[in-house]
Amino acid sequence: MQENKRGSWGSNFGFLMAAIGSAVGLGNIWGFPYKMGKNGGFAFLIIYLLLVVFVGIAIMLGELALGRKTGLAAVGAYGEFSKKHKWVGYLGVISAFVILAFYCVLGGMVMRYMMGFLLQILGLDSFVGQGSGFFGFLLYDHGGMLFFFGLFMIINMLIVAGGVQKGIERFSMVGMPALFVILLFVVVFVAFQPGAIEGYKFMLKPNLDVFSNPEIGFLGVLKAAAGQMFFSLSLGMGAMITYGSYLSKKENLQRNALIIPFADTLIAVLAGFAVMPACAAFGVDYGGGPGLLFVSMHTVFEKMGNFGAFVGFLFYFLVFIAAVTSSISLLEVCTANRVDKAIAKGKEPNRKKITFIYGAIIFIVGLPVALDALGSGGSAIKAPYEILGITAGDVAAGFRVWNDCWLDLYDAFSEGVLMPLGALFMSFLIGWKYKPSTVFDECEQNGNKFRGKLFFTLCFKFVVPVAMLFVLWGQVKDFFF
Ligand code: PFF
């Protein structure tokens, strides 16, 4: 298929790889296992699955349909319905922009680990032996942080500047199958480690004890799972609207809207099957929170012996692919918005220029995240809490998480407020203003049949808005109170 001025996918498979690539990211391989570790394992898994079925699939369908129907990215898509709704699209673009600023710093850190294991394999470094201590070193190695952040950003810019088909689709069509094969290999390798079984038990043995834990409880698990589901499926930021806008009218939207969450969930569970049993086998705690991806996993590879460097390299390589295919979708949300604007004004869009300008600005906005040592204190750039004059004592006493470091601040603003707010309005617009029939009609293009109208009508009108209110409340509470 020839690309038009905006661009279009070359095939449905290419679209699926790109969209699954967007969904599968740090959220799956990092967030999912660590949140499951903290929220009761099995109980979290069950609630997560229910949320995907009753909320995630409907929003996915809604976003894809809005995009394909209008043939425009987030802002333009809402603008087609009413000029007054454009700001809902802008909420998405701004949160994509802010998330990118820290997502790319994390992507850079993943690359640093990948490189460390590679150098070890080549006999050029003793990376594996540095174990958990390396993380502390990395945070204060400002040159290294900047270098890898910049490198990760440049990779993103090159792919997105390449275009929808020749950049994003091409990269995803190679990267995603590779990711899947490597993940399977790691899962199988881990399965043969003595002691791995405890990890599976934690995930799969029916156990709802966490509901009676006064600090977490049922609502706590529901809140964690809802926020995670949302982020993991790349919803609420216009990413799926944008990707949907490049899809041909002849493709089956409803089937695609089922495949993407299915694949995303499968990979999150597989990542759990890699991380949890690995931690169990090597006596590393999986309830340790965000340090899981770096500190805990590095310790696992250190303890693994001869194979540690090799499996470690493969693991971080797959995390790297996952991170890139997600961050390019966020950058595309920003770029596509400008491309649409140029076309609307009758100008020839210069995708390369737009992408590079966005990339450069996002790099600048991300600098404090890369340089504040994630709030460990005494670094080149002060953490927000230090700027506000809050003492280490206040922090130790549990001072709020939103300003512990720049990453938390950006995350609170984007993931905590803008993203759920945008999605809440989107669900009201689709459920009550544009009406679910807009989505069904779009899905029935080209003779495709839409199944389950009653189910989806109920989802759009009631389940999703209520769930979104809950997510918003949960995120705001989590981040700020
Ligand atoms: N879904 C990605 C992850 O799980 O890491 C993150 C993400 C990408 C969120 C794109 C939102 C988005 F628009």
Side-chain angles (χ1 to χ4, degrees):
M1 198 188 289
Q2 208 42 45
E3 289 208 60
N4 60 19
K5 271 191 198 166
R6 294 188 77 244
S8 59
W9 305 114
S11 67
N12 195 56
F13 180 73
F15 157 73
L16 279 175
M17 289 302 103
I20 294 171
S22 168
V24 171
L26 295 174
N28 300 59
I29 299 170
W30 183 10
F32 186 81
Y34 102 67
K35 287 185 187 161
M36 186 161 56
K38 281 197 135 174
N39 292 282
F42 175 81
F44 178 88
L45 182 61
I46 295 301
I47 293 196
Y48 184 88
L49 294 176
L50 289 173
L51 283 166
V52 170
V53 172
F54 288 99
V55 183
I57 293 175
I59 306 186
M60 175 70 66
L61 191 63
E63 286 207 18
L64 291 176
L66 282 187
R68 194 177 72 171
K69 180 179 169 61
T70 57
L72 292 169
V75 176
Y78 286 107
E80 282 285 285
F81 290 93
S82 159
K83 280 217 163 61
K84 279 192 282 181
H85 298 169
K86 272 191 175 177
W87 62 273
V88 181
Y90 276 116
L91 283 182
V93 177
I94 299 170
S95 49
F97 183 92
V98 177
I99 288 188
L100 254 180
F102 68 80
Y103 206 88
C104 289
V105 175
L106 294 168
M109 288 164 70
V110 169
M111 282 185 85
R112 177 70 186 88
Y113 273 76
M114 186 174 93
M115 198 68 84
F117 283 108
L118 183 65
L119 291 176
Q120 169 93 38
I121 295 172
L122 298 174
L124 298 173
D125 195 3
S126 56
F127 188 73
V128 178
Q130 296 178 33
S132 54
F134 179 75
F135 190 65
F137 162 77
L138 173 64
L139 292 183
Y140 288 93
D141 174 17
H142 297 316
M145 288 291 289
L146 279 186
F147 177 78
F148 284 99
F149 171 34
L151 190 60
F152 190 84
M153 198 73 235
I154 289 173
I155 294 175
N156 273 270
M157 295 196 274
L158 290 176
I159 297 173
V160 172
V164 177
Q165 210 176 106
K166 298 216 175 79
I168 299 174
E169 183 171 358
R170 205 190 262 173
F171 184 83
S172 310
M173 273 174 63
V174 179
M176 291 313 288
L179 176 149
F180 191 67
V181 172
I182 298 174
L183 184 57
L184 281 184
F185 172 82
V186 176
V187 167
V188 172
F189 182 84
V190 165
F192 283 101
Q193 307 300 315
I197 185 89
E198 291 308 316
Y200 304 117
K201 278 196 199 150
F202 179 68
M203 283 175 69
L204 300 176
K205 199 164 145 230
N207 174 353
L208 303 179
D209 291 352
V210 64
F211 293 159
S212 42
N213 173 340
E215 276 181 21
I216 305 177
F218 174 73
L219 281 183
V221 179
L222 187 60
K223 202 163 64 140
Q228 169 63 19
M229 181 276 296
F230 210 70
F231 185 76
S232 185
L233 291 179
S234 298
L235 300 173
M237 255 175 268
M240 291 299 162
I241 302 184
T242 308
Y243 276 15
S245 74
Y246 303 130
L247 189 63
S248 148
K249 293 277 184 200
K250 67 177 198 301
E251 306 302 350
N252 188 327
L253 259 195
Q254 190 177 19
R255 197 176 52 208
N256 284 332
L258 290 175
I259 294 176
I260 301 165
F262 176 80
D264 183 68
T265 308
L266 178 72
I267 292 186
V269 172
L270 281 178
F273 282 168
V275 172
M276 300 291 169
C279 288
F282 295 100
V284 175
D285 176 23
Y286 35 57
L292 187 63
L293 182 68
F294 298 110
V295 184
S296 312
M297 288 313 281
H298 197 160
T299 310
V300 165
F301 298 123
E302 184 187 13
K303 293 189 176 182
M304 209 174 250
N306 292 341
F307 282 110
F310 178 64
V311 182
F313 170 71
L314 283 183
F315 179 78
Y316 286 103
F317 180 54
L318 87 87
V319 182
F320 165 71
I321 299 175
V324 176
T325 49
S326 296
S327 51
I328 53 178
S329 72
L330 290 165
L331 186 53
E332 180 61 21
V333 167
C334 303
T335 297
N337 181 37
R338 282 272 144 194
V339 167
D340 283 351
K341 268 201 175 142
I343 295 175
K345 285 191 193 144
K347 289 196 209 139
E348 187 66 28
N350 187 340
R351 167 179 275 274
K352 285 197 175 63
K353 189 170 147 199
I354 296 171
T355 308
F356 285 116
I357 291 176
Y358 264 117
I361 301 176
I362 291 164
F363 181 75
I364 294 169
V365 175
L367 284 177
V369 181
L371 296 176
D372 81 340
L374 297 186
S376 316
S379 186
I381 289 215
K382 290 198 182 317
Y385 74 85
E386 290 173 311
I387 295 172
L388 292 174
I390 292 157
T391 64
D394 298 327
V395 177
F399 196 79
R400 281 323 309 156
V401 74
W402 62 269
N403 65 10
D404 277 358
C405 62
W406 284 90
L407 188 152
D408 287 341
L409 180 72
Y410 286 4
D411 194 25
F413 179 60
S414 51
E415 218 193 320
V417 184
L418 294 181
M419 183 170 134
L421 203 60
L424 174 67
F425 284 107
M426 183 197 89
S427 64
F428 275 112
L429 287 177
I430 294 188
W432 299 95
K433 253 202 133 63
Y434 311 156
K435 305 275 178 336
S437 57
T438 310
V439 174
F440 305 152
D441 292 348
E442 183 53 33
C443 291
E444 289 188 328
Q445 296 273 342
N446 212 39
N448 289 311
K449 186 106 193 72
F450 190 91
R451 284 171 219 279
K453 282 190 182 161
L454 179 63
F455 172 80
F456 280 101
T457 305
L458 292 175
C459 285
F460 280 127
K461 281 197 177 300
F462 306 106
V463 185
V464 173
V466 172
M468 287 325 304
L469 270 174
F470 183 79
V471 171
L472 181 65
W473 168 77
Q475 297 291 74
V476 170
K477 188 162 172 283
D478 242 21
F479 279 107
F480 299 102
F481 296 102

